[in-house]
Amino acid sequence: MSLSRRQLLSGFAAASVIAAAGPALATETPRWSPGLDNAPVDGFAEAGMRLLSGRAPRALAGEHYRNGPGWFRYADSATGHWFDGDGFVQRFAIEDGRARHSGKFVDTPKRRLEQREQRIVMPGFGTRGDRNAAIEGPDSMNAANTSVMIVGDELWALWEGGSPTRMDPRSLATLGVRPLRADLASMPFTAHPKVEPNGRIWNLGIYGDRCIVWRLSPNGAVEDAQIIQLPTRSYVHDWAVSERHLIIPLQPWIHDRMTAPMVDGFTWHGDQPFRVLVLDKNDYSNRRVYELPAMFFFHTGDAWEDADGAIRFDLCASANADFVTHQARSMITQETGQTPSAELVLAVLHADGRAELQRSGRYGEFPQTDRRRQGRARDLVSIVDDRAVSRLGLMNWRTGAYAEHDFGADQMVQEHLFVTKPGRTNERDAWLVGVTLNAREQATELHVFDAAGVGDGPIATWRSPYRAPLGFHSTWKDA
Amino acid sequence: MLRTALIALVLAAGCATAPAQADETATVTVQLTGLQPQGSVMMQVFNSAEGYGSGDQLTARQIPITAASASVSFENVPPGQYAIRLFHDVNGNGQLDTNPFGIPTEPFAFSNNARGRFGPASWEDAVFTVTAGANVHQITIPGSN
């Protein structure tokens, strides 16, 4: 992929512009508030969804699994942050042009305790909890609420501070936490593992300025686990993997004091660089640190390497950490707020040590790419516009084209995944499958787009007779 | 005369105090449940907040575990305040195993079934009172993380 000099703005200038011009996410009315209601305590039994429009391709068959916080409050207590609700896993099964939906809470020790006592007990990312809460280790607090992945015959509900929680992918019954290896029990495992096209799984777990690098077989067996030293503390929610490198972005939002809740222990150091640690997959001692100007991020798209050795990866970058420190809290109390949007950018790490940003001028979050191309060159990344969360966008980095569909002001769009068309290899030979929350209809909707025609709108839409909570991240399993 | 009188006094004192001492000592039976039937429980007993904080134990026991429950008794214990901390050395290597970030990977517990918050339970939460006579204290071992 070639980029013009104009596209390759200097890193410092680019990020300065992000800081100065990032439009604000204004939430005049808390449209998202239905998405932060408690889900039914027993979840949703499997039921058919009504086809609203279009027709699903016959060749599209599989399950879209989705995880996110689904329980926020009891009569006299509430979580302090969107990120702390109990994990609620949903299954959208598509087959023969029909869609079915079900959902269940992940049956964690935290949830069992709090349901028994009918109050918030455990501390969390932004929740103080009961000071007398019994905490045996990270998994005492594990909300299993951030993402989900298929590993062998199991569905894993992921949380970044502790172990994966295993579930039955058909019934959504919780099978419990089983350490990936006995001596590595309770080690963190982020909610953003990276799966190579051959099925090998890479992941990190962050603890202060140290990090475990996990390498698992496609069936979840630990092939390797090493502890590495990071050049700085940071909040690492997501990262990237190319064919030859592990890429760990280290933003200057730093946990520098122990306090409850945890989020209050972080400080935004806007005068410090955004570092990127790059490790050789085959030798972690072979490392390099790049520097970009200060910016905040949650999510990456994916990474690849050019023939000249440059590493490129998508980032959704905002000017500061205000969303996580303020708005994700006020969402629980259903207050409105304003925080900077995230701009889709492409970080470029050159072989000579320089680092730059290519900007898109498009704002959004929850970036998704074609997972067949994990770690390899590609053009496309989908995002959910985070200024008006009713829009789904598809960016083409090679051509600069941006296709967009606006669902309308009543809709809140969530992450849309690439699903490969059987027997096809072109990147655009894919569907985008995802969910919206229709606030006016108080219903959850499932949509299928043709990746080659996002601007044309969904080719099929189904609706549930109820609304489910907003979620964070999803995965797809072919039938 | 004086010597005889002193001996008599000592004997009398002995006669007078020996039964009283017997009444004022205690037996403490600690019952453990929730165990995996293997390895040993390593138990430390403390009789002061200072000792509990510094690890300066009053006594310690190693209890082989062959069933889901076990008990251990301490005889001739002066009544007072005590706290217990223990871990289940499941693999028998003589130490509390931790993961690379220092978080225990073998079960541990405290008297009163007290729990810590990002660390061991406090003396205030773990302390219990031993009175003269028979005392039974039950501790449930939480599952491994």
Side-chain angles (χ1 to χ4, degrees), chain A residues 167-187:
Chain A
M167 304 178 76
D168 182 301
R170 184 65 189 82
S171 68
L172 303 183
T174 299
L175 307 174
V177 168
R178 189 170 71 236
L180 297 177
R181 207 172 71 190
D183 60 314
L184 299 173
S186 300
M187 291 293 282

Side-chain angles (χ1 to χ4, degrees), chain B:
Chain B
M1 173 63 195
L2 181 60
R3 185 169 175 270
T4 304
L6 282 173
I7 291 170
L9 187 62
V10 169
L11 286 174
C15 291
T17 58
Q21 280 179 346
D23 287 342
E24 289 175 5
T25 60
T27 300
V28 181
T29 301
V30 181
Q31 296 179 336
L32 307 175
T33 57
L35 294 156
Q36 304 170 55
Q38 65 185 87
S40 299
V41 163
M42 312 293 250
M43 179 183 290
Q44 291 177 291
V45 181
F46 302 90
N47 64 350
S48 72
E50 294 73 26
Y52 185 80
S54 66
D56 183 12
Q57 67 204 25
L58 176 68
T59 186
R61 292 284 175 87
Q62 179 174 351
I63 307 146
I65 302 301
T66 57
S69 61
S71 70
V72 59
S73 292
F74 298 87
E75 308 285 348
N76 298 318
V77 177
Q81 293 201 309
Y82 295 86
I84 292 170
R85 67 184 189 198
L86 62 85
F87 70 92
H88 187 179
D89 179 20
V90 176
N91 61 8
N93 68 354
Q95 61 187 21
L96 173 62
D97 292 341
T98 62
N99 73 20
F101 292 162
I103 295 164
T105 56
E106 292 182 305
F108 58 92
F110 304 88
S111 41
N112 295 334
N113 290 313
R115 296 281 177 268
R117 182 167 169 137
F118 305 112
S122 67
W123 165 264
E124 288 74 20
D125 289 340
V127 68
F128 63 101
T129 299
V130 171
T131 57
N135 296 258
V136 176
H137 194 87
Q138 294 187 319
I139 299 176
T140 300
I141 313 302
S144 172
N145 294 305

Side-chain angles (χ1 to χ4, degrees), chain A residues 313-330:
Chain A
F313 64 103
D314 329 73
L315 275 173
C316 293
S318 57
N320 56 45
D322 284 358
F323 176 81
V324 67
T325 56
H326 292 87
Q327 187 159 353
R329 286 174 141 156
S330 62

